[in-house]
């Protein structure tokens, strides 16, 4: 049964469900909310992991949150959650959340078992041309119908009911937050060094994603990590929101990754006790 917990002296409320000695923590992308992961979580298989979800500051139930709206601030919020959960964890981040979960995994290497990056915006940013990013910035203050139309174009196989729901959620975001965070994921984080995270990474990319293409994934995301510990899988028949468009396929990939992390832990434990 799902429960809610709060980080003291903050506006951060996170959702916990299931039981396990480890956690899989889901971080949503731009103008979404924590419930965007519900279809995937409903189809996860296996045991040993509880699930954790939270809203980014400025979105979902945290629409009133004040800035700064930066990767470092978002990472600090997520760090507070994983510290409160206080168990080994796998982080799952979609789109704009990919740099956020990477920063947190680097900051807590003793606890981070692995990363799942879904349609990941590179740490260096999407770097879309001005005329293209302006289309996203123009959603600031837009009606839900306009947001839904753009989402429909970028995720044509997404269920209409979910498109309506997330468009309604997105329309509640303050215009200045929408613009600031669009610029954030387009411009990226100033960090230039390769990732300091050394545990396994699973990258899931939509086969028809016009933003995070296979070329972008290879050159700007995979290249940041240890190639021997990084796996890239293409999710067929979807665009930039694979978890909305193909939740069963995404859940199956995440379930396999979680099972592999449990197996690796078990082997390590046996080796230490032999």
């Amino acid at each position: 049964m799902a429960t809610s917990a709060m980080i003291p002296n903050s506006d951060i409320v996170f959702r916990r469900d299931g039981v396990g000695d480890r956690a899989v923590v889901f971080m949503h992308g731009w103008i979404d909310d924590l419930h965007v992961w519900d279809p995937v979580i409903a189809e996860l298989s296996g045991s040993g992991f509880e699930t954790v979800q939270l809203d980014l500051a400025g979105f979902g139930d945290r629409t009133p949150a004040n800035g700064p709206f930066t990767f470092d601030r978002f990472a600090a919020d997520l760090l507070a959650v994983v510290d409160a959960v206080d168990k080994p964890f796998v982080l799952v981040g979609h789109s704009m959340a990919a740099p956020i979960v990477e920063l947190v995994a680097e900051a807590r290497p003793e606890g981070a078992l692995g990363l799942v990056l879904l349609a990941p915006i590179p740490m260096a940013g999407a770097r879309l041309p001005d005329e293209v990013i302006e289309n996203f910035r123009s959603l600031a203050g837009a009606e839900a119908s306009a947001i839904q139309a753009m989402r429909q174009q970028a995720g044509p196989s997404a269920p209409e009911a979910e498109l309506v729901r997330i468009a309604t959620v997105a329309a509640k975001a303050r215009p200045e937050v929408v613009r600031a965070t669009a610029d954030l994921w387009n411009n990226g984080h100033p960090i230039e060094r390769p990732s300091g995270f050394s545990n396994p990474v699973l990258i899931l990319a939509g086969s028809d994603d016009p933003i995070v293409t296979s070329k972008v994934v290879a050159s700007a995301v995979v290249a940041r990590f240890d190639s021997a510990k990084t796996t890239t899988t293409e999710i067929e028949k979807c665009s930039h929101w694979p978890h909305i468009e193909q939740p069963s396929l995404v859940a199956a990939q995440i379930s396999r990754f979680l099972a592999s992390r449990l197996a690796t832990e078990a082997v390590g434990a046996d080796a230490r006790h032999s």
Side-chain angles (χ1 to χ4, degrees):
M1 182 177 177
T3 61
S4 294
M6 175 175 281
I7 301 299
N9 304 311
S10 81
D11 69 331
I12 304 171
V13 177
F14 57 98
R15 188 173 188 260
R16 307 180 74 162
D17 200 1
V19 295
D21 294 331
R22 302 154 198 83
V24 52
V25 185
F26 292 85
M27 190 78 264
H28 68 81
W30 187 61
I31 66 175
D32 289 339
D33 71 348
L34 64 86
H35 293 293
V36 78
W37 292 108
D38 289 354
V40 169
I41 291 172
E43 298 202 44
L44 288 178
S45 62
S47 59
F49 287 85
E50 73 163 317
T51 62
V52 178
Q53 300 156 264
L54 68 150
D55 287 324
L56 281 169
F59 300 107
D61 288 339
R62 298 181 68 198
T63 298
N66 294 320
F69 300 101
T70 65
F71 283 127
D72 290 333
R73 184 273 174 86
F74 292 141
D77 286 355
L78 182 54
L79 273 169
V81 170
V82 298
D83 287 349
V85 170
D86 193 26
K87 61 180 67 173
F89 57 88
V90 169
L91 297 173
V92 182
H94 169 244
S95 190
M96 186 182 84
I100 300 169
V101 297
E102 181 187 332
L103 290 170
V104 171
E106 279 192 328
R108 296 291 185 271
E110 71 287 352
L113 302 174
L115 285 178
V116 180
L117 308 180
L118 186 64
I121 293 293
M123 184 69 77
R127 301 292 173 173
L128 299 177
D130 290 345
E131 63 273 16
V132 177
I133 191 62
E134 189 56 37
N135 290 330
F136 293 94
R137 298 180 86 252
S138 70
L139 295 182
E143 297 289 335
S145 58
I147 298 172
Q148 182 182 342
M150 177 172 276
R151 284 298 181 89
Q152 183 86 54
Q153 186 177 19
S157 60
E160 184 176 0
E162 181 61 5
L163 287 174
V164 171
R165 190 197 70 80
I166 60 176
T168 302
V169 168
K172 296 177 182 178
R174 304 198 310 276
E176 64 271 23
V177 177
V178 173
R179 287 190 291 267
T181 49
D183 290 338
L184 177 66
W185 61 256
N186 194 48
N187 296 333
H189 191 285
I191 192 171
E192 294 183 355
R193 59 172 172 74
S195 178
F197 183 67
S198 59
N199 277 340
V201 178
L202 172 63
I203 300 171
L204 302 177
S207 60
D208 305 317
D209 193 335
I211 300 172
V212 183
T213 63
S214 57
K215 182 178 179 180
V216 169
V217 169
S219 64
V221 183
V222 174
R224 291 190 52 74
F225 301 100
D226 181 347
S227 60
K229 296 182 179 180
T230 304
T231 303
T232 302
T233 299
E234 193 173 82
I235 306 296
E236 294 292 334
K237 299 180 181 179
C238 63
S239 182
H240 192 63
W241 290 275
H243 53 319
I244 299 173
E245 299 174 83
Q246 298 285 355
S248 297
L249 297 180
V250 170
Q253 290 291 334
I254 295 175
S255 295
R256 279 194 284 271
F257 185 76
L258 297 179
S260 73
R261 300 310 302 133
L262 285 177
T264 299
E265 270 198 310
V267 169
D270 288 344
R272 287 192 297 271
H273 291 94
S274 62

